[in-house]
Amino acid sequence: MELMIPLDGSEKRPLYEQIYQYIKDEIRRGRLKAGERLPSTRLLADNLKISRCTTQMAYEQLLSEGYIESIPCKGYFVAGIEELVQMKREAEPGLVFHQEKKEKGPDIDFSPRGVDLERFPFNTWRKITKNTLVDDNKEMFAAGDPQGEYGLRAAVGDYLHTARGVHVRPEQIIIGAGSEYLWLLLAQILGGRRRMAMENPTYKQAYRVFSGIGMEVVPVSMDANGMRPGELEESGADVAYVMPGHQYPAGIVMPVKRRQELLGWAVSGEDRYLIEDDYDSEFRYKGKPIPSLQGMDTAGRVIYIGTFSKSIAPAIRVGYLALPEKLLGVYREKAGFYASTVSRIDQNILYQFMIQGHYERHLNRMRAVYKTKHDGLLAGLRGLEDIFEIRGEHAGLHVLLTHKGGMGEDELVKRAAEAGVKVYGLSGALIGPDPGIFASTLLLGYGRLSLEEIREGTKRLNAVWR
């Protein structure tokens, strides 16, 4: 079939987003039926006179959201989606169906969780995928190692040793489908009766997972160097979850002295562990990256966890967990019978992507891309430096702005929204009382925005925050 998609080159939205939104709307309105075949990315690109990379990006987004499905050697098809309308129970008996209304979103969204997919190496990924399946390799469809394919674990271990100073054997690494699964697995390995300390504020998704399965979670406040060791000791916790490479959301890069203090806490008590979440350490813009906490650990007390969601793409859904030697036996006893949650096909694609040097080249390219955006954001915020303190600007994909005059977070967010800009208050990441150093603080992420959007967004913020 052919799709006549109206594209507007004058729109601020990228072309791939226009294509994605058009097809999504057609599916939701029932104009594209379940099972209906879509044109190939090549044919659609030819019809629209645009690059194939653009149509591929639109299809990838639709795939990740479940609106379409890809059948090898056949093509793309509209997925069967039952819940295209919302059900609402009325006062009278029976159910009434209401068409879902989509509210107009902000013009510019400074989401701290977005990544740049414009530079994703689709052609390379597609070629590796094709080569993985071209020879009818039946072995790829059989059950694999519960910990993940050995080759991928070895490649991850080599990368972590070179880039982050992590000392780990492939046998210590577990591959899993995203951080949430690995957190659940880790909770089972550690045992549910643990008391876990988490930085306040912290990554709320991790807090939800650990507290949601019944683990006792206690907030520990931070100073300018990270989690306070004295307060950690007083908390009575025997596990501490920290992000020393680039704390989310506070943006703190933990100095070596504080890391040594936390390691000292871990070894001073029986069966204590530190969980090091190194979620975006690949992106640092000033000085050399500080080696991982795990690389400083000589007593086997650091559990290291990471993901490819920031460095490649969120839809990859591949993470890794590196256990200390002491916990390997516990893992095999308590959870070694779980099957791997990442298909062998996806593991092989990622393995080939890494060993062929594509991952390193992609990281180098994205560091340059994000550095340009980072510098553009800081340049745009320069006019606000007299009324805002800017922090966390040398690593990661977001910065923090704290209003020096104490203007409330809600008011700052409201003013930005009235200008068509979405910013995020740091209070949403608190899991305990505000320690006092993050009042009137906002997060501005720039990963998925273009440089033009960043410039326009900061221009509007300069106008409404003064």
Side-chain angles (χ1 to χ4, degrees):
M1 68 169 293
E2 287 191 14
L3 281 179
M4 300 303 296
I5 301 177
L7 298 179
D8 186 353
S10 64
E11 265 203 46
K12 292 180 180 179
R13 290 186 304 163
L15 293 179
Y16 85 89
E17 189 174 326
Q18 295 182 43
I19 297 170
Y20 149 77
Q21 192 64 55
Y22 177 85
I23 296 176
K24 175 182 174 179
D25 290 344
E26 291 293 284
I27 294 173
R28 296 185 68 86
R29 292 167 182 161
R31 294 173 183 165
L32 288 175
K33 309 294 184 183
E36 192 168 349
R37 184 173 181 173
L38 297 174
S40 68
T41 55
R42 186 185 300 278
L43 179 59
L44 183 59
D46 289 343
N47 290 342
L48 298 177
K49 308 303 180 186
I50 57 176
S51 73
R52 188 181 177 190
C53 180
T54 300
T55 56
Q56 183 69 34
M57 288 175 62
Y59 275 26
E60 290 288 343
Q61 185 63 34
L62 291 164
L63 279 167
S64 66
E65 294 185 16
Y67 285 98
I68 66 175
E69 56 187 0
S70 174
I71 301 178
C73 304
K74 292 187 177 181
Y76 295 96
F77 296 82
V78 177
I81 304 175
E82 298 176 0
E83 298 179 357
L84 294 180
V85 292
Q86 293 180 327
M87 290 191 301
K88 181 178 180 182
R89 187 173 296 277
E90 303 290 342
E92 300 80 15
L95 293 174
V96 178
F97 290 85
H98 295 269
Q99 188 70 31
E100 182 181 23
K101 294 182 180 179
K102 183 178 179 181
E103 296 183 1
K104 184 180 182 299
D107 298 331
I108 300 169
D109 186 351
F110 282 98
S111 170
R113 301 188 65 182
V115 300
D116 189 327
L117 294 177
E118 295 281 354
R119 277 81 172 181
F120 183 82
F122 287 106
N123 290 334
T124 299
W125 197 268
R126 186 162 49 249
K127 182 178 179 181
I128 296 175
T129 302
K130 182 178 180 181
N131 291 341
T132 298
L133 300 173
V134 71
D135 294 327
D136 295 331
N137 188 351
K138 298 181 179 63
E139 188 66 21
M140 286 287 102
F141 293 88
D145 191 313
Q147 284 186 234
E149 297 302 292
Y150 188 89
L152 177 58
R153 286 186 280 137
V156 169
D158 289 343
Y159 164 73
L160 292 177
H161 179 70
T162 302
R164 301 294 299 124
V166 172
H167 305 299
V168 64
R169 299 183 298 115
E171 289 78 10
Q172 295 173 254
I173 296 176
I174 302 169
I175 302 296
S179 297
E180 288 91 344
Y181 166 75
L182 293 174
W183 292 330
L184 290 169
L185 186 67
L186 185 53
Q188 186 161 348
I189 295 170
L190 292 172
R193 295 186 177 181
R194 296 273 190 170
R195 174 178 287 187
M196 176 180 289
M198 296 188 78
E199 298 155 321
N200 182 38
T202 190
Y203 181 40
K204 208 64 171 286
Q205 188 74 346
Y207 169 76
R208 292 190 187 104
V209 170
F210 288 122
S211 61
I213 58 177
M215 185 174 286
E216 183 181 3
V217 178
V218 292
V220 174
S221 64
M222 295 189 293
D223 58 22
N225 294 323
M227 180 180 277
R228 298 175 185 268
E231 191 174 326
L232 172 60
E233 183 66 48
E234 294 172 0
S235 71
D238 51 11
V239 179
Y241 176 96
V242 294
M243 293 169 274
H246 182 238
Q247 204 276 342
Y248 184 90
I252 296 169
V253 177
M254 188 180 291
V256 171
K257 182 180 178 181
R258 180 57 54 86
R259 296 175 187 230
Q260 291 172 335
E261 290 173 332
L262 293 184
L263 289 170
W265 168 85
V267 299
S268 65
E270 184 179 353
D271 207 26
R272 285 180 175 177
Y273 289 97
L274 292 163
I275 300 172
E276 178 181 13
D277 190 340
D278 211 17
Y279 72 101
D280 74 348
S281 60
E282 293 88 359
F283 305 116
R284 184 170 172 82
Y285 313 116
K286 183 178 180 181
K288 294 182 178 180
I290 298 176
S292 67
L293 186 65
Q294 196 271 2
M296 299 172 61
D297 176 28
T298 58
R301 297 300 184 96
V302 176
I303 300 163
Y304 185 91
I305 187 169
T307 175
F308 291 100
S309 293
K310 288 283 188 182
S311 59
I312 300 181
I316 298 300
R317 300 301 300 160
V318 179
Y320 43 86
L321 180 68
L323 295 174
E325 296 280 358
K326 183 180 178 181
L327 289 179
L328 284 179
V330 181
Y331 158 72
R332 295 188 180 108
E333 177 186 348
K334 291 187 174 182
F337 53 87
Y338 289 149
S340 176
T341 52
V342 182
S343 78
R344 299 184 75 185
I345 295 173
D346 291 336
Q347 290 187 61
N348 184 69
I349 294 169
L350 181 54
Y351 167 67
Q352 296 294 336
F353 190 72
M354 294 184 75
I355 66 168
Q356 292 176 20
H358 301 299
Y359 181 56
E360 184 176 355
R361 286 192 289 273
H362 177 63
L363 278 182
N364 290 335
R365 181 166 56 249
M366 295 314 299
R367 287 189 189 103
V369 168
Y370 288 138
K371 178 65 165 59
T372 300
K373 294 184 180 185
H374 163 272
D375 293 349
L377 177 61
L378 294 184
L381 295 174
R382 196 164 293 134
L384 295 170
E385 288 180 340
D386 59 327
I387 58 174
F388 281 94
E389 178 186 358
I390 301 174
R391 291 181 284 180
E393 71 273 25
H394 299 310
L397 300 178
H398 74 273
V399 300
L400 280 74
L401 270 68
T402 299
H403 194 273
K404 295 178 181 179
M407 183 182 293
E409 177 187 295
D410 290 343
E411 179 64 21
L412 291 167
V413 172
K414 178 184 175 183
R415 290 190 184 188
E418 290 172 349
V421 179
K422 187 170 184 179
V423 296
Y424 297 77
L426 185 138
S427 64
L430 292 171
I431 59 172
D434 188 341
I437 60 174
F438 301 114
S440 304
T441 298
L442 303 172
L443 305 180
L444 269 68
Y446 53 86
R448 70 182 180 189
L449 294 177
S450 67
L451 193 56
E452 291 72 22
E453 289 173 320
I454 291 171
R455 288 168 176 162
E456 176 62 25
T458 54
K459 179 181 176 181
R460 297 186 191 184
L461 293 178
N462 273 270
V464 298
W465 281 345
R466 284 203 166 276

